[in-house]
Amino acid sequence: MTGQPPIAANEAFKQFERDKFSLVAQGYDQAIAIVTSQVDQAILDAVEAGYGKQLLDVACKTGWLSAAAVSRQAIVTGLDYAEKMVAIARLRCLEAEFQIGDAENLPLESGRFEAVVCSLGILHFPHPEQAREKPNFSRI
């Protein structure tokens, strides 16, 4: 026994997260994101987000952190597991690229980004260590 939940449990957790966050995306954006976005500037300061910096926003939710990075002239790609979160992010920040994807199995090429940020999203990953063990990424 490894102490790890079975793969089926991990996939069920991911499906639950994807479904529930898609279901509540609009309400999340109107209520919760206003509070959680208060840490955005500190996160961007930590990675020195600025002009031309290639930045990946993992678990980007409705795009508040991505939009803040774009306002600093960073080149931003946002990634989230919940389709409706990504749809709202695309409306919020037309200058960024947003994709639906799994942080534990990044669908992006290594070496593309100079910084990776994640604002309060890591608790939604069944195996957060997999999300951060990708080569060629700066981490905070």
Side-chain angles (χ1 to χ4, degrees), residues 57-81:
D57 182 4
V58 176
C60 68
K61 302 172 285 307
T62 57
W64 288 71
L65 180 58
S66 295
V70 165
S71 75
R72 292 181 175 210
Q73 299 182 322
I75 301 166
V76 178
T77 299
L79 178 81
D80 200 280
Y81 212 42

Side-chain angles (χ1 to χ4, degrees), residues 7-53:
I7 292 172
N10 292 333
E11 291 307 312
F13 177 78
K14 287 181 179 184
Q15 186 67 44
F16 172 83
E17 290 283 311
R18 181 173 41 244
D19 292 348
K20 295 308 174 197
F21 274 100
S22 282
L23 189 66
V24 301
Q26 191 68 43
Y28 175 92
D29 187 59
Q30 293 172 352
I32 307 298
I34 292 168
V35 174
T36 61
S37 66
Q38 293 178 36
V39 298
D40 290 353
Q41 295 307 318
I43 292 169
L44 296 175
D45 288 346
V47 297
E48 300 176 347
Y51 180 79
K53 189 155 203 166

Side-chain angles (χ1 to χ4, degrees), residues 84-99:
K84 288 187 181 174
M85 292 283 199
V86 171
I88 294 169
R90 287 176 176 149
L91 294 173
R92 165 161 288 109
C93 185
L94 301 175
E95 302 87 349
E97 171 191 347
F98 292 97
Q99 297 183 22

